[in-house]
Amino acid sequence: MSNSAAADPAPDHAGQVGPIIAAHRDRPGAMLPILHAIQRHLGWVPGAAVPLIANALNCSRAEVQGVLDFYHDFRRAPPGRHVLQLCRAESCQALGGLALEAHARAVLGLDYYQTSADGALTLEPVYCLGNCACSPAVRVDDEILGRVDQERFDALIAGLRGVGATA
Amino acid sequence: MTATQPQRVYVPGDSGALSVGADQVARSLQIEAQRCGLPIELVRNGSRGLYWLEPLVEVETPAGRMAYGPVRAQDVPDLFAAGFLSGEPHRLGHGLTALMPYLAGQERLTFARVGLTDPLSLDDYQAHGGFAGLKRAIGLEPAAIVQEVTDSGLRGRGGAAFPTGIKWATVRDAPLTPKYVVCNADEGDSGTFSDRMLMEGDPYCLIEGTTIAALAVGATQGYIYSRSEYPHAFRIMETAIARARAAGFLGPDLLGSGRSFELELRMGAGAYICGEETAMLESLEGRPGLVRFKPPLPAIAGLFGRPTVINNAMSLASVPIILAQGAAFYRDYGVGRSHGTLPFQLAGNIRHGGLVEKAFGLTLNEMLYDYGGGSASGRPIRAVQVGGPLGAYVPESQFDIPLDYEAYAKIGAMIGHGGIVVFDDTVDMARMARYAMEFCAHESCGKCTPCRIGSRRGVEVIDRIIAGQARAANLALLESLCDTMLNGSLCALGGMAPYPVQSALRHFPEDFAPS
Ligand SMILES: Cc1cc2nc3c(=O)[nH]c(=O)nc-3n(C[C@H](O)[C@H](O)[C@H](O)COP(=O)(O)O)c2cc1C
Ligand code: SF4
Ligand code: FES
């Protein structure tokens, strides 16, 4: 996940999004690749991108919006500098995932899809990271962590609170 | 010379190993080697699948590869001091990797190379038998390739267990062109990670299998649809595709044969339903992942309306060895109509979680106790969910039933993708049943009412049962709701979500009683 969004005070979304759309528009079924590329670049998909994508792919804005709304991945608001995902699926539950989840929410004072006041991180649920043999698992940006107990979680958060550092 | 010859040391770059510190261990090894003046050559292999021992460090010795694990960065100086570079014993040592019981008992066909080789080295891949299947396939008529796969008895590993050869024959015979191959690497089921391990540990195997499928049906373009939850797998796969293409194993002139096949990697966007084949096609075409009505089958009118083979990643990864060794070799593994091997995945509350590739027919008891070593908590194992979030919860009384598609269907369970998630006796099965409904409600594509509305009602009804409200009436309501979902849903999300719920009710009724 890029963390440039939160750092940029007044991003010129249309200006940044245009070249991304142009780079992918000719691929068959370009919608998801375009949305992913925009989110990778900005950290989220701004509303300003919707008409531009519709125009490039020759479809309606409603269709673009429909795709944005359907997929859990796409964010319509900027996230914090880091995105922290907690696995809520069965294997992680079997090894104390629910207790870890409760701990995380309490320590962070955040509900899912909320961003901490210092802008350091956004909390999200995730359904299985494929790290089930090392449950419970969490993901921070593109890093997966396994065998996460409360202690390891707290150390992780302390690292994330530091400026831009990952654990 | 021997003193300064770099010693080859393996540290997995698999995301499971990374998740418990493999990068830190690799760094420590390099620093310590330099400090001791003992040059090492570090290879980042895939995982052997013994996750409770990750990070598992291996050293190449004249006797073979020796295993040490789980290694933490702070253990490294001690390992050097003990002489692990010459395979000396250590408290973290396990002797020769290949002889470790967990591995020695396995029948690794699909995973033969995973953990052994450098995943991105084309030389390594070929030195370990890679591309032998493709080389043979390229000299065969498409019908002969399809026949080989049909004769192998391979059935789809993505859940429904449909014979792969029959699916390919339909696409091969379909008149429209172009044709497509779609590799389903969505692996949405919890408790499963074999697709990820293979993509990270042996990506060329998946490329080879997909290319053979393309040759068999006459497809010129393929897509691998990988989930966004697997960032490492995506990057490795992306690099592997580029390298395979540069070396002529993909692209306009496959192995100099004049045949062409292009393969593109696509990323999903966090929707479980996009693992369903028609929803995946919608997603690839750029729309919300709504399940399509069948017919037409994707084999007749699939991606962009053209004939399309959609196969699970494990199905396709099984194809190279079938072509290389012949149908009979593969078919001879297994029991009944379940031929070959399945990479089972042991997860949840289990001491030795990991990947166990075995021929069909062993039992859950063997899995849980011989391989798994019992629960991680040391408490009795009470329930095991087999086959992902839509799979039934199996009670101890059924742990001796052979893992074979038909035997499992007979008890109202399924093997699915081979995920095995273990729960000890602290599990609350009413809550697990509720979770299954909640999951279905969250992931429903919304196309049909039994699933979209039924799952929401299901959560509410289970909540009332847990609260002890009008218990008998609500239990009856839940049964009838499950029945409606089972019979009225368009796809298996709504149609199978009742499996975990009903199995929980049937085998663990005491958990639904008021406390
Ligand atoms: C809700 C749902 C989710 C599915 N998820 C997957 C998946 O993650 N991976 C997969 O290979 N098949 C999945 N399937 C099965 C596919 O629809 C399809 O049967 C499979 O990709 C066919 O390949 P195979 O014959 O090689 O198994 C899912 C099916 C349903 C109904
Ligand atoms: S059962 Fe659920 S996921 Fe499947 S088509 Fe119906 S609404 Fe969609
Ligand atoms: S269930 Fe949490 S990583 Fe798979």
Side-chain angles (χ1 to χ4, degrees):
Chain A
M1 234 54 44
S2 155
N3 53 21
S4 57
D8 191 343
D12 166 19
H13 296 314
Q16 294 187 58
V17 160
I20 297 176
I21 297 174
H24 294 280
R25 61 180 293 172
D26 292 330
R27 294 164 74 175
M31 181 79 80
L32 262 66
I34 286 175
L35 293 172
H36 270 306
I38 292 172
Q39 182 151 308
R40 205 156 40 241
H41 189 70
L42 296 174
W44 62 300
V45 182
V50 172
L52 299 176
I53 298 170
N55 195 34
L57 298 186
N58 199 18
C59 64
S60 71
R61 292 178 187 202
E63 283 171 74
V64 181
Q65 195 63 46
V67 173
L68 265 180
D69 292 344
F70 181 83
Y71 292 96
H72 302 310
D73 273 5
F74 298 125
R75 284 184 211 102
R76 283 152 294 163
R81 286 190 299 278
H82 300 287
V83 176
L84 173 63
Q85 295 184 321
L86 304 180
C87 176
R88 297 198 63 230
E90 285 89 343
S91 173
C92 288
Q93 286 190 37
L95 280 180
L98 292 181
L100 181 69
E101 183 179 12
H103 173 77
R105 290 161 78 142
V107 163
L108 299 171
L110 293 179
D111 223 323
Y112 285 130
Y113 304 109
Q114 291 183 342
T115 301
S116 60
D118 62 359
L121 60 97
T122 300
L123 189 67
E124 292 181 355
V126 66
Y127 186 80
C128 191
L129 293 164
N131 197 27
C132 330
C134 300
S135 293
V138 308
R139 173 175 174 179
V140 184
D141 304 327
D142 273 355
E143 197 180 347
I144 316 284
L145 296 174
R147 296 183 204 141
V148 181
D149 53 16
Q150 298 193 355
E151 196 183 326
R152 193 157 190 226
F153 183 83
D154 294 344
L156 167 73
I157 297 305
L160 293 180
R161 296 269 193 218
V163 189
T166 44
Chain B
M1 255 321 269
T2 47
T4 51
Q5 191 112 60
Q7 186 75 38
R8 190 175 285 183
V9 179
Y10 296 83
V11 180
D14 168 279
S15 58
L18 296 177
S19 85
V20 291
D23 270 347
Q24 289 86 324
V25 171
R27 222 170 300 134
S28 261
L29 282 164
Q30 263 162 337
I31 292 170
E32 195 62 17
Q34 197 148 41
R35 208 180 59 79
C36 300
L38 295 166
I40 60 171
E41 180 195 342
L42 205 60
V43 179
R44 304 305 300 266
N45 53 338
S47 171
R48 294 283 200 154
L50 287 66
Y51 279 106
W52 80 99
L53 293 179
E54 291 290 6
L56 183 78
V57 175
E58 289 178 87
V59 183
E60 203 152 272
T61 73
R65 281 160 69 159
M66 306 285 276
Y68 300 85
V71 176
R72 296 163 306 163
Q74 59 263 41
D75 297 322
V76 167
D78 197 41
L79 280 168
F80 271 87
F84 89 118
L85 282 185
S86 339
E88 293 297 323
H90 185 272
R91 70 187 158 82
L92 298 175
H94 305 280
L96 289 169
T97 318
L99 298 185
M100 294 171 69
Y102 197 89
L103 268 178
Q106 297 196 29
E107 292 153 301
R108 288 202 167 186
L109 305 183
T110 309
F111 274 69
R113 275 176 300 264
V114 176
L116 266 177
T117 54
D118 173 349
L120 284 170
S121 160
L122 278 162
D123 290 341
D124 242 17
Y125 184 64
Q126 293 179 87
H128 288 82
F131 291 126
L134 178 60
K135 284 174 185 155
R136 175 158 173 250
I138 212 140
L140 292 176
E141 288 298 317
I145 306 175
V146 173
Q147 194 61 47
E148 194 83 51
V149 171
T150 305
D151 292 344
S152 76
L154 177 66
R155 292 163 71 182
R157 303 298 190 225
F162 187 80
T164 303
I166 293 179
K167 189 186 279 187
W168 289 15
T170 311
V171 179
R172 184 181 56 91
D173 295 339
L176 280 178
T177 54
K179 296 177 184 179
Y180 296 98
V181 179
V182 173
C183 167
N184 187 342
D186 198 55
E187 193 159 63
D189 289 354
S190 62
T192 62
F193 42 86
S194 58
D195 293 5
R196 175 187 65 67
M197 278 183 70
L198 185 100
M199 288 192 281
E200 294 178 356
D202 197 18
Y204 297 122
C205 179
L206 191 55
I207 293 173
E208 184 179 356
T210 308
T211 308
I212 294 170
L215 290 171
V217 303
T220 47
Q221 174 72 48
Y223 293 94
I224 296 177
Y225 188 97
S226 173
R227 61 202 299 257
S228 59
E229 290 83 351
Y230 288 179
H232 292 276
F234 193 89
R235 270 194 299 268
I236 293 174
M237 219 46 246
E238 202 169 34
T239 308
I241 290 174
R243 290 194 188 175
R245 192 175 192 280
F249 295 105
L250 283 172
D253 184 20
L254 279 180
L255 295 172
S257 67
R259 317 266 296 267
S260 130
F261 180 58
E262 299 289 355
L263 184 57
E264 189 183 325
L265 183 62
R266 285 284 172 98
M267 193 187 269
Y272 177 80
I273 193 58
C274 288
E276 196 280 337
E277 56 188 11
T278 61
M280 177 169 289
L281 297 177
E282 289 290 310
S283 184
L284 282 168
E285 291 180 15
R287 285 186 292 273
L290 298 185
V291 171
R292 293 180 186 171
F293 287 100
K294 288 188 270 195
L297 291 171
I300 307 293
L303 189 62
F304 305 116
R306 293 297 193 275
T308 303
V309 168
I310 306 184
N311 271 129
N312 167 256
M314 285 302 110
S315 312
L316 291 169
S318 303
V319 167
I321 194 157
I322 291 171
L323 266 292
Q325 307 274 351
F329 169 82
Y330 193 81
R331 191 185 175 85
D332 285 347
Y333 289 87
V335 289
R337 296 203 291 121
S338 303
H339 296 284
T341 58
L342 189 67
F344 292 95
Q345 301 127 87
L346 269 175
N349 196 330
I350 190 87
R351 241 171 86 201
H352 298 161
L355 181 118
V356 178
E357 182 172 351
K358 286 290 280 182
F360 290 92
L362 80 169
T363 67
L364 219 42
N365 265 327
E366 292 172 79
M367 257 327 162
L368 298 175
Y369 298 104
D370 297 353
Y371 286 92
S375 73
S377 59
R379 303 181 64 97
I381 294 176
R382 179 159 182 248
V384 178
Q385 189 174 32
V386 182
L390 310 177
Y393 283 97
V394 178
E396 190 177 4
S397 60
Q398 297 180 333
F399 287 178
D400 58 352
I401 290 168
L403 287 153
D404 120 32
Y405 291 125
E406 276 69 36
Y408 260 60
K410 224 182 277 169
I411 58 162
M414 66 159 182
I415 292 180
H417 195 65
I420 295 173
V421 178
V422 182
F423 295 83
D424 73 9
D425 63 349
T426 60
V427 67
D428 177 343
M429 293 306 296
R431 298 220 73 88
M432 297 320 294
R434 183 192 193 277
Y435 183 80
M437 282 291 186
E438 187 194 338
F439 175 74
C440 183
H442 189 251
E443 297 296 338
S444 172
C445 85
K447 186 136 168 172
C448 60
T449 320
C451 166
R452 186 183 64 242
I453 308 291
S455 53
R456 284 175 207 285
R457 293 293 96 86
V459 174
E460 296 163 6
V461 176
I462 296 174
D463 276 342
R464 289 201 293 270
I465 295 171
I466 292 174
Q469 295 170 14
R471 220 177 134 263
N474 277 310
L475 280 170
L477 186 59
L478 182 58
E479 277 299 349
S480 117
L481 188 69
C482 283
D483 208 51
T484 307
M485 289 175 71
L486 269 167
N487 295 304
S489 297
L490 181 58
C491 86
L493 180 53
M496 290 181 66
Y499 278 40
V501 178
Q502 290 179 321
S503 58
L505 276 166
R506 193 175 331 123
H507 302 302
F508 309 95
E510 61 277 21
D511 287 17
F512 294 82
S515 48

